[in-house]
Amino acid sequence: MKSVALNASVRAETRRNANKQLRATGRIPAVIYGRQAQPQSLQVDAKELENMFHHHVSENLLVDLTVKDDAKPKRLALVQEVQHHPLSGKVLHIDFHEVSETEQVTISVPVETTGEAAGVKNGGGVLEHVMFKVKVRALPKDLPEQLFVDVSSLEVDRAIHLGELPLPAGVEVVGNKNVVVVACSLPRKEEEPAPAADAAAPAAGDVAMIKEKKDEAAATAAPAKGAAPAKAAPAAEKKK
Amino acid sequence: MAMMPERVKFRKMQRGSRRGLATSGNTVAFGEYGLMCLDRAWLDTKQLEACRVAITRHMKRHGKLWIRVFPQKSFTKKPLEVRMGTGKGPLESWVAVVRPANILFEVDGVPEPIAREAMRLAAAKLPIATKFVARHKH
């Protein structure tokens, strides 16, 4: 993975309101952490960040951070997490994971399929993408931005497993190698219900109730204590 | 078949609140394309069923469909011309509480134009604004 240059500066203000104000000025709050250094709050330019993500297919990037006004201005980091606004998709916060060039790291990499599966083309099957991300371990410079799987030879009822993924040199997959990543299967036939069946659909109130535990406990306890209910019954009559 | 819970502990519920954005179920998690709602609403079983039928018919039973919301909540209504009081009314229907950013449906195994049209047809059955979303940005 090629490293991308990015400028950042130290952020003194924390808390929610300060971060809101920061975003309003076109800066994005960020944090950097790692094994070697203490966590530090940073801020990056929103436009520069958007531009960086726009020119890459995935958010898995190796970044050459230049931190202004800091004792250690040059840092190599991985983009660990990007928080987006759920509706607008704008970047809200970014986590950088400081890494060493000589130390292996484990990250999740997206898996993409290429080609049209033979089972889909000829057999009427559906391609099922089971795992969208896989964990890989490698040196930062060897890490792939994403993995590609050629599914053109995939027949119906066949699958590609984690152990069968084509990996670049120096990269190893972490996890159970027998887990299915991509599969091709026949679609389930869904039968349209007849109009008569619609008429017999259950009403909203026709729902079964989960029995209360209290009732069950009372029902089981009653036969065991044979004398107790007999005493209780006359007492109830007296009350009346 | 109408969507409703099989068994419940309590039949009648309080109305609850629908404030805020969806904090879960707001990403395309299973398929390639999805329908995101931009408003808050109660979607009842009939609306969800109408959407499901519209999507499956347009996709001609190809591909795969995920319905990401389920009507877990019951709501009651008093019958017509009934005076107030004398307890809560009978069950009217079951609804799914949706908030902005909730993904309602997801599809996979069909080309984008078909998925887009299927979602447009489904959105026409709903009382809220929605938008088409894709897993990959093109």
Side-chain angles (χ1 to χ4, degrees):
Chain A
M1 194 191 291
K2 266 189 183 176
S3 59
V4 190
L6 186 70
N7 294 312
S9 51
V10 177
R11 172 166 58 102
E13 293 283 327
T14 54
R15 319 284 286 187
R16 187 178 180 178
N17 198 32
N19 284 338
K20 255 187 178 177
Q21 287 172 1
L22 191 72
R23 285 187 201 108
T25 59
R27 311 280 294 167
I28 303 290
V31 65
I32 187 164
Y33 45 77
R35 274 177 64 181
Q36 312 297 336
Q38 285 291 313
Q40 193 178 15
S41 300
L42 302 176
Q43 52 179 319
V44 289
D45 186 50
K47 266 195 176 174
E48 201 179 342
L49 204 64
E50 293 281 341
N51 203 24
M52 184 179 83
F53 288 134
H54 189 74
H55 286 92
H56 292 87
V57 283
S58 113
E59 286 177 351
N60 267 342
L61 296 170
L62 190 63
V63 180
D64 256 330
L65 267 183
T66 310
V67 185
K68 220 167 53 177
D69 310 327
D70 192 40
K72 195 181 167 192
K74 285 276 175 195
R75 290 166 173 219
L76 186 68
L78 277 166
V79 174
Q80 182 78 16
E81 193 198 0
V82 186
Q83 291 176 17
H84 293 274
H85 189 270
L87 268 180
S88 65
K90 280 183 180 169
V91 177
L92 297 178
H93 186 270
I94 183 161
D95 277 25
F96 294 110
H97 181 191
E98 192 172 0
V99 290
S100 158
E101 276 181 50
T102 54
E103 215 170 292
Q104 285 198 327
V105 284
T106 307
I107 61 161
S108 289
V109 179
V111 183
E112 294 299 326
T113 57
T114 55
E116 194 178 3
V120 176
K121 210 173 182 181
N122 310 318
V126 177
L127 191 72
E128 283 186 51
H129 207 139
V130 183
M131 281 181 90
F132 289 99
K133 279 187 170 185
V134 294
K135 271 190 176 178
V136 296
R137 189 170 172 76
L139 288 173
K141 66 174 177 55
D142 296 333
L143 283 171
E145 207 173 309
Q146 59 182 351
L147 292 173
F148 291 98
V149 193
D150 185 16
V151 293
S152 48
S153 59
L154 194 65
E155 296 286 345
V156 173
D157 291 335
R158 297 275 165 210
I160 295 172
H161 299 89
L162 196 58
E164 298 159 15
L165 285 182
L167 297 169
V171 180
E172 59 171 314
V173 169
V174 180
N176 185 356
K177 305 280 189 293
N178 298 323
V179 174
V180 173
V181 179
V182 186
C184 185
S185 57
L186 285 173
R188 246 187 327 185
K189 292 279 179 230
E190 192 179 343
E191 286 175 17
E192 286 281 316
D198 275 346
D206 296 346
V207 61
M209 300 288 288
I210 299 170
K211 268 194 178 176
E212 290 281 329
K213 277 183 183 171
K214 261 187 199 171
D215 295 349
E216 282 172 19
T220 50
K225 293 177 183 174
K231 278 180 187 172
E237 279 171 20
K238 271 179 196 173
K239 272 183 190 173
K240 281 178 188 176
Chain B
M1 188 72 184
M3 290 167 81
M4 61 185 262
E6 271 187 20
R7 292 191 317 149
V8 290
K9 193 162 182 182
F10 301 106
R11 211 182 289 269
K12 295 175 184 177
M13 295 182 187
Q14 295 191 345
R15 310 245 175 221
S17 115
R18 303 182 308 202
R19 59 186 292 190
L21 301 180
T23 52
S24 62
N26 57 12
T27 53
V28 180
F30 301 98
E32 185 65 37
Y33 307 105
L35 188 70
M36 180 187 274
C37 72
L38 304 176
D39 222 335
R40 58 199 81 241
W42 279 0
L43 301 184
D44 79 352
T45 54
K46 278 185 207 165
Q47 289 163 345
L48 292 174
E49 179 63 12
C51 292
R52 187 193 66 80
V53 170
I55 294 170
T56 48
R57 281 194 186 155
H58 186 75
M59 296 200 316
K60 302 213 170 73
R61 292 183 201 95
H62 286 118
K64 208 170 171 183
L65 168 72
W66 288 267
I67 304 174
R68 296 286 308 277
V69 287
F70 187 83
Q72 297 277 4
K73 185 181 185 66
S74 66
F75 80 93
T76 60
K77 200 174 178 183
K78 288 229 179 215
L80 286 176
E81 295 178 5
V82 169
R83 287 176 189 272
M84 287 298 109
T86 67
K88 207 166 160 76
L91 242 63
E92 176 74 8
S93 183
W94 293 85
V95 291
V97 182
V98 295
R99 295 181 172 86
N102 257 134
I103 301 288
L104 305 177
F105 303 97
E106 284 182 30
V107 292
D108 200 0
V110 286
E112 190 186 331
I114 292 179
R116 201 175 270 277
E117 179 62 13
M119 291 301 173
R120 189 192 66 79
L121 291 169
K125 311 283 183 287
L126 296 174
I128 47 170
T130 56
K131 78 170 175 184
F132 179 81
V133 286
R135 176 183 289 275
H136 293 97
K137 292 167 200 159
H138 297 292

